[in-house]
Amino acid sequence: AYPEFFQTQLRAILRASLEGEVSILFPMVSTLEEVVKLKKMVDKTMLKLSRQKIPFRDDPQLGVMLEVPAAVLALRSLLKEVDFVSIGSNDLTQLILGVDRDSEIVAPIFDERNPAVKHMIAQVIAVCRRKNRKIGICGQAPSDYPEFAEFLVEQGINSISLNPDTVLKTTLAILEAEKGH
């Protein structure tokens, strides 16, 4: 919606890439066309930096945040355009279940451990693994439910975002589960 603002962010990210590898994650995408458009904006920004002789690394890793079911359904085509995927489990769960997690009335229905949510997440991980793409997850569930983190590890997730105060508890639960397998 705000290409000038986005281009400013891209310029900063690309310039910071001189300090090390950077990854750019495109949030809330639904279609392949959106990803192609965003990639063109990255290319355009790199071209402008080159013309201005501003140094940057030209190899950023590009990824999509899967937060809407439409993106999950388009995953195979999206993977042709990106290097990695992150699952936004809070938004994805909310949209799969049709539940506003901030509503007092229906919030109790919001549960990332719902079989439909777990099934969709498992499918995403499997497709990413088959296509050799890194796959991570962010959201509250792995922090709140160590058994959910165990499920993700069993499926083959590459990275899990956790609240700092739950890292030890969740790591221990995952290690304990691995001993049992």
Short mmCIF file of all heavy atoms in Angstrom, two decimals, residues 50-120:
data_model
loop_
_atom_site.label_atom_id
_atom_site.label_comp_id
_atom_site.label_asym_id
_atom_site.label_seq_id
_atom_site.Cartn_x
_atom_site.Cartn_y
_atom_site.Cartn_z
N SER A 50 22.67 0.57 -6.67
CA SER A 50 23.83 0.39 -7.57
C SER A 50 24.12 1.67 -8.34
O SER A 50 25.27 2.09 -8.45
CB SER A 50 23.57 -0.75 -8.55
OG SER A 50 23.54 -1.97 -7.90
N ARG A 51 23.08 2.26 -8.89
CA ARG A 51 23.25 3.50 -9.67
C ARG A 51 23.79 4.64 -8.80
O ARG A 51 24.51 5.50 -9.29
CB ARG A 51 21.93 3.91 -10.31
CG ARG A 51 21.55 3.02 -11.47
CD ARG A 51 20.29 3.48 -12.14
NE ARG A 51 19.98 2.61 -13.27
CZ ARG A 51 18.78 2.47 -13.78
NH1 ARG A 51 17.76 3.15 -13.28
NH2 ARG A 51 18.58 1.67 -14.81
N GLN A 52 23.42 4.64 -7.53
CA GLN A 52 23.89 5.67 -6.61
C GLN A 52 25.25 5.30 -6.00
O GLN A 52 25.77 6.03 -5.15
CB GLN A 52 22.86 5.90 -5.50
CG GLN A 52 21.56 6.46 -6.01
CD GLN A 52 20.47 6.46 -4.94
OE1 GLN A 52 20.55 5.75 -3.94
NE2 GLN A 52 19.45 7.26 -5.16
N LYS A 53 25.77 4.14 -6.42
CA LYS A 53 27.06 3.63 -5.93
C LYS A 53 27.07 3.47 -4.40
O LYS A 53 28.09 3.71 -3.74
CB LYS A 53 28.20 4.52 -6.41
CG LYS A 53 28.26 4.65 -7.93
CD LYS A 53 29.62 4.88 -8.41
CE LYS A 53 29.73 5.07 -9.91
NZ LYS A 53 29.09 4.14 -10.76
N ILE A 54 25.94 3.04 -3.87
CA ILE A 54 25.82 2.76 -2.44
C ILE A 54 26.06 1.26 -2.27
O ILE A 54 25.36 0.45 -2.87
CB ILE A 54 24.43 3.16 -1.91
CG1 ILE A 54 24.24 4.68 -2.05
CG2 ILE A 54 24.26 2.71 -0.46
CD1 ILE A 54 22.85 5.16 -1.71
N PRO A 55 27.04 0.89 -1.48
CA PRO A 55 27.38 -0.54 -1.36
C PRO A 55 26.30 -1.34 -0.60
O PRO A 55 25.67 -0.85 0.33
CB PRO A 55 28.69 -0.54 -0.59
CG PRO A 55 28.76 0.78 0.09
CD PRO A 55 27.92 1.74 -0.70
N PHE A 56 26.14 -2.58 -1.03
CA PHE A 56 25.21 -3.53 -0.41
C PHE A 56 25.52 -4.90 -0.96
O PHE A 56 26.16 -5.04 -2.01
CB PHE A 56 23.75 -3.15 -0.68
CG PHE A 56 23.35 -3.27 -2.14
CD1 PHE A 56 22.72 -4.42 -2.60
CD2 PHE A 56 23.63 -2.26 -3.04
CE1 PHE A 56 22.36 -4.54 -3.94
CE2 PHE A 56 23.28 -2.38 -4.38
CZ PHE A 56 22.64 -3.52 -4.82
N ARG A 57 25.05 -5.93 -0.27
CA ARG A 57 25.14 -7.30 -0.80
C ARG A 57 23.90 -7.54 -1.63
O ARG A 57 22.79 -7.21 -1.23
CB ARG A 57 25.22 -8.31 0.34
CG ARG A 57 26.57 -8.31 1.03
CD ARG A 57 26.65 -9.28 2.15
NE ARG A 57 26.27 -10.63 1.75
CZ ARG A 57 26.33 -11.69 2.54
NH1 ARG A 57 26.75 -11.55 3.79
NH2 ARG A 57 25.98 -12.87 2.12
N ASP A 58 24.09 -8.18 -2.76
CA ASP A 58 22.96 -8.38 -3.68
C ASP A 58 22.36 -9.78 -3.60
O ASP A 58 21.74 -10.26 -4.54
CB ASP A 58 23.38 -8.07 -5.12
CG ASP A 58 24.45 -9.01 -5.63
OD1 ASP A 58 24.95 -9.85 -4.85
OD2 ASP A 58 24.78 -8.91 -6.83
N ASP A 59 22.52 -10.42 -2.44
CA ASP A 59 22.04 -11.80 -2.31
C ASP A 59 21.12 -12.00 -1.10
O ASP A 59 21.27 -13.00 -0.38
CB ASP A 59 23.22 -12.76 -2.24
CG ASP A 59 24.12 -12.50 -1.04
OD1 ASP A 59 23.99 -11.43 -0.39
OD2 ASP A 59 24.97 -13.35 -0.74
N PRO A 60 20.18 -11.10 -0.87
CA PRO A 60 19.32 -11.32 0.31
C PRO A 60 18.46 -12.57 0.13
O PRO A 60 18.01 -12.88 -0.98
CB PRO A 60 18.45 -10.07 0.37
CG PRO A 60 18.36 -9.62 -1.05
CD PRO A 60 19.71 -9.96 -1.65
N GLN A 61 18.26 -13.26 1.23
CA GLN A 61 17.32 -14.38 1.23
C GLN A 61 15.91 -13.79 1.31
O GLN A 61 15.66 -12.89 2.11
CB GLN A 61 17.57 -15.28 2.44
CG GLN A 61 18.92 -15.96 2.43
CD GLN A 61 18.95 -17.10 1.44
OE1 GLN A 61 18.18 -18.05 1.56
NE2 GLN A 61 19.80 -17.00 0.45
N LEU A 62 15.01 -14.27 0.47
CA LEU A 62 13.64 -13.77 0.45
C LEU A 62 12.69 -14.87 0.90
O LEU A 62 12.83 -16.03 0.50
CB LEU A 62 13.26 -13.30 -0.96
CG LEU A 62 14.15 -12.22 -1.56
CD1 LEU A 62 13.70 -11.89 -2.98
CD2 LEU A 62 14.17 -10.96 -0.71
N GLY A 63 11.73 -14.49 1.73
CA GLY A 63 10.78 -15.47 2.24
C GLY A 63 9.38 -14.90 2.37
O GLY A 63 9.17 -13.70 2.24
N VAL A 64 8.45 -15.79 2.63
CA VAL A 64 7.06 -15.38 2.86
C VAL A 64 6.60 -15.87 4.22
O VAL A 64 7.01 -16.93 4.69
CB VAL A 64 6.09 -15.92 1.78
CG1 VAL A 64 6.33 -15.26 0.44
CG2 VAL A 64 6.17 -17.43 1.66
N MET A 65 5.75 -15.06 4.83
CA MET A 65 5.10 -15.43 6.08
C MET A 65 3.75 -16.00 5.71
O MET A 65 2.92 -15.31 5.10
CB MET A 65 4.94 -14.20 6.98
CG MET A 65 4.21 -14.48 8.26
SD MET A 65 5.17 -15.37 9.49
CE MET A 65 6.07 -14.03 10.23
N LEU A 66 3.54 -17.26 6.04
CA LEU A 66 2.25 -17.89 5.77
C LEU A 66 1.31 -17.58 6.93
O LEU A 66 1.45 -18.16 8.01
CB LEU A 66 2.40 -19.39 5.60
CG LEU A 66 3.24 -19.86 4.42
CD1 LEU A 66 3.25 -21.39 4.36
CD2 LEU A 66 2.76 -19.28 3.11
N GLU A 67 0.40 -16.66 6.70
CA GLU A 67 -0.54 -16.24 7.73
C GLU A 67 -1.99 -16.41 7.29
O GLU A 67 -2.89 -16.31 8.11
CB GLU A 67 -0.30 -14.77 8.08
CG GLU A 67 1.08 -14.54 8.64
CD GLU A 67 1.45 -13.09 8.70
OE1 GLU A 67 1.82 -12.53 7.65
OE2 GLU A 67 1.35 -12.51 9.79
N VAL A 68 -2.18 -16.61 5.99
CA VAL A 68 -3.55 -16.77 5.47
C VAL A 68 -3.66 -18.09 4.72
O VAL A 68 -2.71 -18.53 4.06
CB VAL A 68 -3.96 -15.58 4.56
CG1 VAL A 68 -3.99 -14.27 5.34
CG2 VAL A 68 -3.04 -15.45 3.36
N PRO A 69 -4.79 -18.77 4.84
CA PRO A 69 -4.94 -20.06 4.16
C PRO A 69 -4.70 -19.99 2.65
O PRO A 69 -4.18 -20.95 2.08
CB PRO A 69 -6.39 -20.46 4.49
CG PRO A 69 -6.65 -19.81 5.82
CD PRO A 69 -5.94 -18.49 5.74
N ALA A 70 -5.01 -18.87 2.01
CA ALA A 70 -4.78 -18.75 0.57
C ALA A 70 -3.30 -18.94 0.24
O ALA A 70 -2.96 -19.57 -0.77
CB ALA A 70 -5.27 -17.39 0.06
N ALA A 71 -2.43 -18.42 1.07
CA ALA A 71 -0.99 -18.58 0.83
C ALA A 71 -0.57 -20.03 1.01
O ALA A 71 0.28 -20.54 0.27
CB ALA A 71 -0.20 -17.67 1.77
N VAL A 72 -1.17 -20.71 1.97
CA VAL A 72 -0.87 -22.14 2.17
C VAL A 72 -1.29 -22.92 0.93
O VAL A 72 -0.54 -23.78 0.44
CB VAL A 72 -1.56 -22.68 3.43
CG1 VAL A 72 -1.39 -24.19 3.53
CG2 VAL A 72 -1.02 -21.99 4.68
N LEU A 73 -2.46 -22.60 0.40
CA LEU A 73 -2.94 -23.31 -0.80
C LEU A 73 -2.09 -22.99 -2.02
O LEU A 73 -1.99 -23.81 -2.94
CB LEU A 73 -4.41 -22.96 -1.05
CG LEU A 73 -5.37 -23.45 0.03
CD1 LEU A 73 -6.77 -22.91 -0.22
CD2 LEU A 73 -5.38 -24.96 0.12
N ALA A 74 -1.45 -21.82 -2.04
CA ALA A 74 -0.59 -21.42 -3.16
C ALA A 74 0.88 -21.74 -2.90
O ALA A 74 1.74 -21.34 -3.67
CB ALA A 74 -0.76 -19.93 -3.42
N LEU A 75 1.16 -22.48 -1.85
CA LEU A 75 2.53 -22.69 -1.40
C LEU A 75 3.47 -23.20 -2.49
O LEU A 75 4.57 -22.69 -2.65
CB LEU A 75 2.57 -23.62 -0.19
CG LEU A 75 3.95 -23.89 0.41
CD1 LEU A 75 4.60 -22.59 0.87
CD2 LEU A 75 3.84 -24.87 1.55
N ARG A 76 3.06 -24.20 -3.23
CA ARG A 76 3.96 -24.78 -4.24
C ARG A 76 4.42 -23.72 -5.25
O ARG A 76 5.58 -23.68 -5.64
CB ARG A 76 3.30 -25.96 -4.93
CG ARG A 76 3.32 -27.21 -4.06
CD ARG A 76 2.64 -28.40 -4.73
NE ARG A 76 2.70 -29.58 -3.91
CZ ARG A 76 1.89 -29.82 -2.87
NH1 ARG A 76 0.98 -28.94 -2.53
NH2 ARG A 76 2.02 -30.93 -2.17
N SER A 77 3.52 -22.85 -5.67
CA SER A 77 3.93 -21.80 -6.61
C SER A 77 4.76 -20.73 -5.90
O SER A 77 5.72 -20.20 -6.48
CB SER A 77 2.72 -21.17 -7.31
OG SER A 77 1.87 -20.53 -6.39
N LEU A 78 4.45 -20.42 -4.66
CA LEU A 78 5.23 -19.43 -3.92
C LEU A 78 6.67 -19.89 -3.72
O LEU A 78 7.60 -19.08 -3.77
CB LEU A 78 4.60 -19.15 -2.56
CG LEU A 78 3.20 -18.53 -2.54
CD1 LEU A 78 2.71 -18.36 -1.10
CD2 LEU A 78 3.16 -17.22 -3.27
N LEU A 79 6.84 -21.19 -3.50
CA LEU A 79 8.19 -21.71 -3.25
C LEU A 79 9.11 -21.57 -4.46
O LEU A 79 10.33 -21.60 -4.32
CB LEU A 79 8.13 -23.18 -2.82
CG LEU A 79 7.57 -23.42 -1.42
CD1 LEU A 79 7.52 -24.91 -1.12
CD2 LEU A 79 8.36 -22.67 -0.37
N LYS A 80 8.54 -21.38 -5.64
CA LYS A 80 9.36 -21.14 -6.83
C LYS A 80 10.02 -19.78 -6.79
O LYS A 80 10.97 -19.51 -7.52
CB LYS A 80 8.51 -21.28 -8.09
CG LYS A 80 7.99 -22.68 -8.31
CD LYS A 80 7.06 -22.75 -9.49
CE LYS A 80 6.46 -24.15 -9.60
NZ LYS A 80 5.42 -24.24 -10.61
N GLU A 81 9.50 -18.89 -5.93
CA GLU A 81 9.98 -17.51 -5.88
C GLU A 81 10.74 -17.14 -4.61
O GLU A 81 11.29 -16.05 -4.54
CB GLU A 81 8.79 -16.55 -6.04
CG GLU A 81 8.05 -16.69 -7.35
CD GLU A 81 8.89 -16.25 -8.54
OE1 GLU A 81 9.75 -15.35 -8.38
OE2 GLU A 81 8.70 -16.80 -9.64
N VAL A 82 10.73 -18.01 -3.60
CA VAL A 82 11.34 -17.63 -2.32
C VAL A 82 12.33 -18.67 -1.83
O VAL A 82 12.32 -19.81 -2.28
CB VAL A 82 10.26 -17.38 -1.23
CG1 VAL A 82 9.34 -16.23 -1.63
CG2 VAL A 82 9.46 -18.63 -0.94
N ASP A 83 13.15 -18.24 -0.87
CA ASP A 83 14.18 -19.10 -0.31
C ASP A 83 13.75 -19.78 0.98
O ASP A 83 14.32 -20.81 1.35
CB ASP A 83 15.44 -18.26 0.00
CG ASP A 83 15.94 -17.52 -1.23
OD1 ASP A 83 16.24 -18.20 -2.24
OD2 ASP A 83 16.03 -16.28 -1.19
N PHE A 84 12.79 -19.19 1.68
CA PHE A 84 12.36 -19.75 2.96
C PHE A 84 10.92 -19.35 3.26
O PHE A 84 10.36 -18.47 2.61
CB PHE A 84 13.29 -19.31 4.09
CG PHE A 84 13.22 -17.84 4.43
CD1 PHE A 84 12.43 -17.40 5.48
CD2 PHE A 84 13.94 -16.91 3.70
CE1 PHE A 84 12.36 -16.04 5.79
CE2 PHE A 84 13.88 -15.56 4.01
CZ PHE A 84 13.09 -15.13 5.05
N VAL A 85 10.37 -20.00 4.27
CA VAL A 85 8.98 -19.76 4.68
C VAL A 85 8.94 -19.69 6.20
O VAL A 85 9.67 -20.40 6.89
CB VAL A 85 8.07 -20.92 4.19
CG1 VAL A 85 6.68 -20.83 4.78
CG2 VAL A 85 8.01 -20.95 2.67
N SER A 86 8.08 -18.83 6.70
CA SER A 86 7.79 -18.79 8.13
C SER A 86 6.28 -18.88 8.29
O SER A 86 5.53 -18.23 7.55
CB SER A 86 8.31 -17.50 8.76
OG SER A 86 8.06 -17.51 10.16
N ILE A 87 5.83 -19.71 9.20
CA ILE A 87 4.40 -19.84 9.48
C ILE A 87 4.05 -18.87 10.60
O ILE A 87 4.63 -18.93 11.68
CB ILE A 87 4.05 -21.27 9.91
CG1 ILE A 87 4.41 -22.27 8.81
CG2 ILE A 87 2.58 -21.38 10.28
CD1 ILE A 87 4.36 -23.73 9.26
N GLY A 88 3.12 -17.99 10.34
CA GLY A 88 2.60 -17.09 11.37
C GLY A 88 1.42 -17.78 12.03
O GLY A 88 0.28 -17.62 11.59
N SER A 89 1.70 -18.57 13.05
CA SER A 89 0.68 -19.48 13.59
C SER A 89 -0.51 -18.76 14.22
O SER A 89 -1.63 -19.26 14.17
CB SER A 89 1.29 -20.47 14.57
OG SER A 89 1.77 -19.82 15.72
N ASN A 90 -0.30 -17.59 14.82
CA ASN A 90 -1.43 -16.89 15.44
C ASN A 90 -2.47 -16.50 14.39
O ASN A 90 -3.66 -16.81 14.52
CB ASN A 90 -0.97 -15.65 16.20
CG ASN A 90 -0.16 -15.98 17.43
OD1 ASN A 90 -0.19 -17.09 17.94
ND2 ASN A 90 0.59 -15.01 17.91
N ASP A 91 -2.02 -15.79 13.35
CA ASP A 91 -2.97 -15.34 12.32
C ASP A 91 -3.52 -16.52 11.53
O ASP A 91 -4.71 -16.56 11.22
CB ASP A 91 -2.30 -14.34 11.38
CG ASP A 91 -2.09 -12.99 12.03
OD1 ASP A 91 -2.97 -12.55 12.80
OD2 ASP A 91 -1.04 -12.37 11.79
N LEU A 92 -2.65 -17.48 11.20
CA LEU A 92 -3.12 -18.63 10.43
C LEU A 92 -4.20 -19.39 11.19
O LEU A 92 -5.24 -19.75 10.63
CB LEU A 92 -1.95 -19.55 10.07
CG LEU A 92 -2.29 -20.71 9.14
CD1 LEU A 92 -2.81 -20.21 7.80
CD2 LEU A 92 -1.07 -21.59 8.93
N THR A 93 -3.99 -19.61 12.48
CA THR A 93 -4.99 -20.31 13.29
C THR A 93 -6.30 -19.54 13.32
O THR A 93 -7.39 -20.10 13.14
CB THR A 93 -4.47 -20.51 14.73
OG1 THR A 93 -3.29 -21.31 14.69
CG2 THR A 93 -5.52 -21.17 15.62
N GLN A 94 -6.18 -18.25 13.54
CA GLN A 94 -7.38 -17.40 13.60
C GLN A 94 -8.19 -17.50 12.30
O GLN A 94 -9.41 -17.61 12.33
CB GLN A 94 -6.94 -15.95 13.84
CG GLN A 94 -8.08 -14.97 13.93
CD GLN A 94 -7.60 -13.63 14.45
OE1 GLN A 94 -7.41 -13.48 15.63
NE2 GLN A 94 -7.41 -12.68 13.56
N LEU A 95 -7.49 -17.49 11.16
CA LEU A 95 -8.20 -17.52 9.88
C LEU A 95 -8.69 -18.91 9.50
O LEU A 95 -9.73 -19.05 8.86
CB LEU A 95 -7.31 -16.92 8.79
CG LEU A 95 -7.04 -15.42 8.99
CD1 LEU A 95 -6.00 -14.92 8.02
CD2 LEU A 95 -8.32 -14.61 8.88
N ILE A 96 -7.96 -19.95 9.90
CA ILE A 96 -8.44 -21.31 9.64
C ILE A 96 -9.72 -21.57 10.43
O ILE A 96 -10.68 -22.13 9.91
CB ILE A 96 -7.37 -22.37 10.02
CG1 ILE A 96 -6.19 -22.32 9.04
CG2 ILE A 96 -7.98 -23.77 10.03
CD1 ILE A 96 -5.00 -23.16 9.47
N LEU A 97 -9.70 -21.16 11.69
CA LEU A 97 -10.84 -21.45 12.56
C LEU A 97 -11.94 -20.39 12.48
O LEU A 97 -13.01 -20.58 13.05
CB LEU A 97 -10.36 -21.58 14.02
CG LEU A 97 -9.35 -22.69 14.28
CD1 LEU A 97 -8.93 -22.69 15.74
CD2 LEU A 97 -9.91 -24.05 13.88
N GLY A 98 -11.67 -19.28 11.80
CA GLY A 98 -12.67 -18.22 11.72
C GLY A 98 -12.97 -17.63 13.08
O GLY A 98 -14.12 -17.34 13.40
N VAL A 99 -11.93 -17.45 13.89
CA VAL A 99 -12.08 -17.01 15.28
C VAL A 99 -11.24 -15.75 15.51
O VAL A 99 -10.06 -15.72 15.18
CB VAL A 99 -11.59 -18.12 16.24
CG1 VAL A 99 -11.54 -17.61 17.66
CG2 VAL A 99 -12.47 -19.33 16.14
N ASP A 100 -11.86 -14.73 16.07
CA ASP A 100 -11.12 -13.55 16.48
C ASP A 100 -10.56 -13.81 17.87
O ASP A 100 -11.29 -13.85 18.85
CB ASP A 100 -12.06 -12.34 16.50
CG ASP A 100 -11.37 -11.06 16.95
OD1 ASP A 100 -10.17 -11.12 17.31
OD2 ASP A 100 -12.04 -10.02 16.96
N ARG A 101 -9.25 -13.99 17.96
CA ARG A 101 -8.64 -14.37 19.23
C ARG A 101 -8.72 -13.27 20.28
O ARG A 101 -8.48 -13.52 21.45
CB ARG A 101 -7.20 -14.83 19.03
CG ARG A 101 -6.25 -13.75 18.57
CD ARG A 101 -4.85 -14.34 18.36
NE ARG A 101 -3.90 -13.35 17.94
CZ ARG A 101 -3.56 -13.10 16.70
NH1 ARG A 101 -4.09 -13.80 15.72
NH2 ARG A 101 -2.66 -12.18 16.41
N ASP A 102 -9.07 -12.06 19.86
CA ASP A 102 -9.20 -10.96 20.81
C ASP A 102 -10.64 -10.77 21.29
O ASP A 102 -10.89 -9.90 22.12
CB ASP A 102 -8.69 -9.66 20.17
CG ASP A 102 -7.20 -9.73 19.86
OD1 ASP A 102 -6.46 -10.36 20.66
OD2 ASP A 102 -6.78 -9.16 18.84
N SER A 103 -11.55 -11.56 20.79
CA SER A 103 -12.95 -11.46 21.19
C SER A 103 -13.20 -12.33 22.42
O SER A 103 -12.93 -13.53 22.39
CB SER A 103 -13.87 -11.90 20.06
OG SER A 103 -15.17 -12.13 20.52
N GLU A 104 -13.74 -11.74 23.46
CA GLU A 104 -14.03 -12.51 24.67
C GLU A 104 -15.02 -13.64 24.40
O GLU A 104 -14.98 -14.68 25.06
CB GLU A 104 -14.60 -11.59 25.75
CG GLU A 104 -13.59 -10.62 26.32
CD GLU A 104 -14.20 -9.73 27.39
OE1 GLU A 104 -15.22 -10.11 28.00
OE2 GLU A 104 -13.64 -8.65 27.60
N ILE A 105 -15.88 -13.45 23.44
CA ILE A 105 -16.93 -14.43 23.17
C ILE A 105 -16.38 -15.69 22.52
O ILE A 105 -16.70 -16.80 22.93
CB ILE A 105 -18.04 -13.81 22.28
CG1 ILE A 105 -18.69 -12.64 23.03
CG2 ILE A 105 -19.06 -14.85 21.87
CD1 ILE A 105 -19.58 -11.77 22.17
N VAL A 106 -15.54 -15.53 21.49
CA VAL A 106 -15.07 -16.70 20.74
C VAL A 106 -13.60 -17.05 20.97
O VAL A 106 -13.14 -18.07 20.49
CB VAL A 106 -15.33 -16.53 19.22
CG1 VAL A 106 -16.81 -16.50 18.93
CG2 VAL A 106 -14.64 -15.29 18.68
N ALA A 107 -12.87 -16.24 21.72
CA ALA A 107 -11.45 -16.51 21.96
C ALA A 107 -11.19 -17.91 22.52
O ALA A 107 -10.17 -18.52 22.19
CB ALA A 107 -10.85 -15.45 22.87
N PRO A 108 -12.08 -18.47 23.36
CA PRO A 108 -11.81 -19.82 23.86
C PRO A 108 -11.73 -20.89 22.76
O PRO A 108 -11.14 -21.95 22.98
CB PRO A 108 -13.00 -20.10 24.79
CG PRO A 108 -13.47 -18.75 25.22
CD PRO A 108 -13.24 -17.85 24.02
N ILE A 109 -12.27 -20.60 21.60
CA ILE A 109 -12.21 -21.56 20.49
C ILE A 109 -10.84 -21.52 19.80
O ILE A 109 -10.42 -22.47 19.16
CB ILE A 109 -13.33 -21.26 19.47
CG1 ILE A 109 -14.69 -21.36 20.16
CG2 ILE A 109 -13.28 -22.21 18.28
CD1 ILE A 109 -15.83 -20.81 19.32
N PHE A 110 -10.12 -20.41 19.96
CA PHE A 110 -8.81 -20.24 19.34
C PHE A 110 -7.83 -21.23 19.97
O PHE A 110 -7.55 -21.16 21.16
CB PHE A 110 -8.31 -18.80 19.54
CG PHE A 110 -6.96 -18.55 18.95
CD1 PHE A 110 -6.85 -18.17 17.63
CD2 PHE A 110 -5.81 -18.69 19.70
CE1 PHE A 110 -5.60 -17.93 17.07
CE2 PHE A 110 -4.56 -18.46 19.15
CZ PHE A 110 -4.47 -18.08 17.83
N ASP A 111 -7.31 -22.15 19.16
CA ASP A 111 -6.39 -23.16 19.68
C ASP A 111 -5.53 -23.70 18.53
O ASP A 111 -6.03 -24.39 17.64
CB ASP A 111 -7.16 -24.30 20.34
CG ASP A 111 -6.27 -25.31 21.04
OD1 ASP A 111 -5.03 -25.22 20.94
OD2 ASP A 111 -6.83 -26.21 21.69
N GLU A 112 -4.24 -23.37 18.57
CA GLU A 112 -3.32 -23.84 17.53
C GLU A 112 -3.20 -25.36 17.49
O GLU A 112 -2.74 -25.93 16.53
CB GLU A 112 -1.92 -23.25 17.73
CG GLU A 112 -1.82 -21.78 17.46
CD GLU A 112 -1.85 -20.97 18.75
OE1 GLU A 112 -2.44 -21.43 19.75
OE2 GLU A 112 -1.29 -19.86 18.74
N ARG A 113 -3.64 -26.01 18.55
CA ARG A 113 -3.56 -27.47 18.62
C ARG A 113 -4.77 -28.14 17.97
O ARG A 113 -4.84 -29.37 17.94
CB ARG A 113 -3.42 -27.91 20.08
CG ARG A 113 -2.14 -27.37 20.72
CD ARG A 113 -2.15 -27.52 22.21
NE ARG A 113 -3.29 -26.80 22.76
CZ ARG A 113 -3.75 -26.95 23.99
NH1 ARG A 113 -3.16 -27.78 24.81
NH2 ARG A 113 -4.78 -26.26 24.41
N ASN A 114 -5.68 -27.34 17.44
CA ASN A 114 -6.83 -27.88 16.73
C ASN A 114 -6.33 -28.80 15.61
O ASN A 114 -5.37 -28.46 14.91
CB ASN A 114 -7.65 -26.72 16.15
CG ASN A 114 -8.85 -27.18 15.37
OD1 ASN A 114 -8.71 -27.75 14.28
ND2 ASN A 114 -10.02 -26.94 15.91
N PRO A 115 -6.95 -29.96 15.42
CA PRO A 115 -6.46 -30.89 14.38
C PRO A 115 -6.36 -30.28 12.99
O PRO A 115 -5.43 -30.60 12.24
CB PRO A 115 -7.50 -32.02 14.42
CG PRO A 115 -8.05 -31.97 15.80
CD PRO A 115 -8.05 -30.53 16.20
N ALA A 116 -7.28 -29.40 12.62
CA ALA A 116 -7.23 -28.78 11.30
C ALA A 116 -5.99 -27.89 11.17
O ALA A 116 -5.32 -27.88 10.12
CB ALA A 116 -8.50 -27.96 11.04
N VAL A 117 -5.67 -27.17 12.21
CA VAL A 117 -4.49 -26.30 12.20
C VAL A 117 -3.22 -27.14 12.13
O VAL A 117 -2.33 -26.89 11.31
CB VAL A 117 -4.48 -25.38 13.44
CG1 VAL A 117 -3.20 -24.56 13.50
CG2 VAL A 117 -5.71 -24.48 13.46
N LYS A 118 -3.14 -28.15 12.97
CA LYS A 118 -1.96 -29.02 12.97
C LYS A 118 -1.79 -29.71 11.63
O LYS A 118 -0.66 -29.85 11.13
CB LYS A 118 -2.06 -30.04 14.10
CG LYS A 118 -1.85 -29.41 15.48
CD LYS A 118 -2.03 -30.40 16.59
CE LYS A 118 -0.85 -31.34 16.69
NZ LYS A 118 -0.94 -32.24 17.87
N HIS A 119 -2.89 -30.13 11.02
CA HIS A 119 -2.83 -30.78 9.72
C HIS A 119 -2.26 -29.82 8.66
O HIS A 119 -1.37 -30.20 7.88
CB HIS A 119 -4.21 -31.28 9.31
CG HIS A 119 -4.25 -31.91 7.96
ND1 HIS A 119 -3.74 -33.16 7.71
CD2 HIS A 119 -4.73 -31.44 6.77
CE1 HIS A 119 -3.90 -33.44 6.42
NE2 HIS A 119 -4.49 -32.41 5.84
N MET A 120 -2.74 -28.59 8.67
CA MET A 120 -2.26 -27.62 7.67
C MET A 120 -0.79 -27.30 7.91
O MET A 120 -0.01 -27.23 6.95
CB MET A 120 -3.11 -26.35 7.70
CG MET A 120 -2.80 -25.42 6.53
SD MET A 120 -3.94 -24.03 6.38
CE MET A 120 -5.32 -24.82 5.57
#
